[in-house]
């Protein structure tokens, strides 16, 4: 059974930083991409950043230059370093794994709140 364990969310002041982690375990198979999505209250879930096996990353325009995505292949873990956080970054952040075969896997979500 595949399990995604997320950590690192919390409350931070505007301009602060947080680092999210997502560790995957179980029989995932070959991974195509790993990444993060977020969903704010009343809004649709949106892409934050994803990373491919090649190391190529793709970021939402709203987080470019502030967020950095990295991946530990050996540990099947993906990290999202979030700097210069803004109130509009407040959302539940979800880890996603897209294998080459089969359906996507999602984490349970971790709350990020940016507020003074």
């Amino acid at each position: 059974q595949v399990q995604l364990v997320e950590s690192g969310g919390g409350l931070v002041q505007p301009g602060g930083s947080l680092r999210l982690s997502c560790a995957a375990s179980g029989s995932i198979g070959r991974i195509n991409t790993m990444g993060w999505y977020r969903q704010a209250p009343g809004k649709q879930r949106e892409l934050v950043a994803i990373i491919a096996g090649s190391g190529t990353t793709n970021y939402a325009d709203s987080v470019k230059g502030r967020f950095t995505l990295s991946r530990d292949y050996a540990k099947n873990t993906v990290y999202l370093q979030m700097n210069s956080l803004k109130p509009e970054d407040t959302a539940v952040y979800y880890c996603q794994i897209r294998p080459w075969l089969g359906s996507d896997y999602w984490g349970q979500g971790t709350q990020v709140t940016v507020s003074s």
Side-chain angles (χ1 to χ4, degrees):
Q1 185 173 351
V2 174
Q3 190 174 20
L4 276 60
V5 178
E6 301 162 341
S7 61
L11 172 64
V12 65
Q13 293 186 342
S17 297
L18 284 174
R19 187 188 192 216
L20 305 183
S21 299
C22 173
S25 62
S27 301
I28 299 172
R30 285 188 62 204
I31 295 175
N32 182 4
T33 63
M34 299 181 74
W36 292 89
Y37 286 70
R38 68 186 180 186
Q39 188 166 18
K43 295 187 177 181
Q44 290 190 333
R45 191 172 296 189
E46 63 176 3
L47 170 70
V48 177
I50 57 171
I51 184 167
S54 63
T56 301
T57 53
N58 184 28
Y59 295 93
D61 288 342
S62 59
V63 307
K64 284 180 181 177
R66 301 187 297 122
F67 291 10
T68 303
L69 188 64
S70 59
R71 178 175 168 180
D72 185 327
Y73 293 84
K75 296 181 179 179
N76 272 349
T77 300
V78 63
Y79 306 95
L80 184 67
Q81 178 66 44
M82 305 185 294
N83 298 328
S84 302
L85 283 160
K86 304 176 181 180
E88 50 263 43
D89 295 317
T90 296
V92 178
Y93 284 69
Y94 296 91
C95 176
Q96 183 219 42
I97 290 180
R98 175 160 292 175
W100 283 103
L101 297 175
S103 302
D104 295 345
Y105 298 101
W106 292 90
Q108 78 282 1
T110 185
Q111 177 69 47
V112 171
T113 302
V114 185
S115 175
S116 56

